[in-house]
Amino acid sequence: MEAVVIGVVIVIAVLALVGALSVRLVQQYQRGIVFRFGRVLQPVREPGLRLIVPIADRMVRVSMQTTVIGVPPQGAITRDNVTLTVDAVVYYRVVDPVKALVNVRDYPAAVLQVAQTALRSVIGKADLDTLLGDRERINTELKAVIDAPTEKPWGLLIERVEVKDVALPEGMKRSMSRQAEAERERRARVIAADGEYQASRRLADASRAMAATPGAYQLRLLQTVVDVAAEKNSTLVMPFPVELLRFFDKFTRGAEPLAAQPPATERAAPAPAAAPGDGHRRPAA
């Protein structure tokens, strides 16, 4: 009886061991790849409890989550011969776990190496202005360059690539700062000149309107007096009408010819007297 009990216990232990070796748990974000004597078995194991043959089978779990890797700063020279340092970040995930395991060894390290090479290549084809002002284009080109050798051969999908930072030399930073300052100064001068031009046009229109209506000068003078008096100053400045100056100017010009003419007594001088012995007599007074 004891031998039977011992045999049953041994059988149960063996079954438990076999069951422990046969059962595998695949998480929701994973896929299981089963190798039987080194060969891949299809299909790929989905999430849940999965059974394999002990000793003959070996299961490898592959994560299907999106993985983020940072590309270390890479020194590169742009198309316009500017030396700079650029770093980036790559988002990728596995779409074919069989290819990711069979076709490439340590695919995260392989993606990192491809990203470094692609970053230097793309930066070398772009100029500095494009790199600083059109990041979307650079990111798209990086994604295409990295995705080409990794999607079909390795079963990886590059979801997104972004340039994180562009480190410029100090001399280039100072040059760009001076350029930006000069550009802003140019815009300020153009805006000020345009404002003066528009103001002159408005003033010319206003002067023509006031010239057509003489009473407008008096109204403008009264408005100026009101504006000055509103400041509560002890001194009141009265504008002097230009028309009054023109009146005095015309009066002065008219008086100058009169002053230049000689008096009437000087114009009617008496005739010279006749000499003695002259045959003519002096007329009586």
Side-chain angles (χ1 to χ4, degrees):
M1 187 66 181
E2 293 180 358
V4 175
V5 174
I6 294 174
V8 171
V9 172
I10 293 175
V11 171
I12 293 175
V14 172
L15 292 177
L17 180 61
V18 172
L21 296 175
S22 302
V23 177
R24 292 293 184 272
L25 177 63
V26 181
Q27 301 291 339
Q28 180 65 38
Y29 56 88
Q30 295 176 339
R31 298 296 182 270
I33 309 300
V34 177
F35 294 89
R36 178 167 294 174
F37 297 111
R39 297 178 61 87
V40 177
L41 293 182
Q42 295 293 345
V44 176
R45 301 306 189 264
E46 296 295 328
L49 288 175
R50 301 301 171 186
L51 297 177
I52 62 174
V53 177
I55 301 175
D57 294 347
R58 180 175 64 91
M59 175 180 286
V60 179
R61 302 177 184 87
V62 179
S63 177
M64 306 297 290
Q65 293 176 315
T66 299
T67 305
V68 183
I69 59 173
V71 181
Q74 302 294 314
I77 301 177
T78 61
R79 188 173 60 181
D80 48 355
N81 298 325
V82 177
T83 303
L84 44 80
T85 304
V86 184
D87 57 350
V89 58
V90 180
Y91 302 82
Y92 74 94
R93 63 184 177 89
V94 178
V95 293
D96 192 337
V98 176
K99 291 182 179 180
L101 286 179
V102 175
N103 295 350
V104 60
R105 181 179 180 181
D106 193 6
Y107 60 86
V111 172
L112 179 60
Q113 295 299 323
V114 172
Q116 293 178 3
T117 306
L119 183 60
R120 290 192 294 267
S121 176
V122 172
I123 295 302
K125 296 178 181 178
D127 52 13
L128 181 60
D129 293 336
T130 304
L131 181 60
L132 296 178
D134 195 359
R135 290 285 185 89
E136 295 297 331
R137 173 185 170 187
I138 300 299
N139 294 340
T140 303
E141 292 183 2
L142 278 174
K143 180 180 179 300
V145 172
I146 300 174
D147 198 20
T150 58
E151 182 177 7
K152 292 183 179 180
W154 298 351
L156 304 176
L157 176 63
I158 306 300
E159 295 183 342
R160 192 174 183 180
V161 181
E162 291 184 355
V163 175
K164 293 174 58 178
D165 188 22
V166 178
L168 297 174
E170 293 298 329
M172 180 59 64
K173 290 181 179 179
R174 290 193 294 268
S175 299
M176 294 177 64
S177 178
R178 291 194 299 267
Q179 179 184 1
E181 184 178 356
E183 178 65 20
R184 291 185 178 275
E185 185 177 357
R186 181 189 68 83
R187 293 181 182 178
R189 291 182 178 181
V190 170
I191 293 174
D194 187 39
E196 292 180 359
Y197 173 74
Q198 295 180 7
S200 63
R201 294 290 300 271
R202 294 297 183 183
L203 289 174
D205 296 340
S207 63
R208 284 192 293 267
M210 295 177 70
T213 307
Y217 290 100
Q218 186 65 23
L219 295 176
R220 186 67 183 123
L221 174 62
L222 295 177
Q223 183 65 36
T224 304
V225 173
V226 171
D227 294 340
V228 174
E231 299 295 333
K232 298 181 180 181
N233 295 327
S234 59
T235 303
L236 181 61
V237 179
M238 293 292 295
F240 197 78
V242 181
E243 287 73 11
L244 188 58
L245 295 177
R246 293 177 180 174
F247 171 75
F248 283 115
D249 184 50
K250 292 181 180 179
F251 179 77
T252 303
R253 291 180 181 179
E256 287 179 355
L258 296 178
Q261 294 180 1
T265 56
E266 294 181 3
R267 290 197 306 266
D278 194 355
H280 298 282
R281 293 175 178 259
R282 178 180 298 178

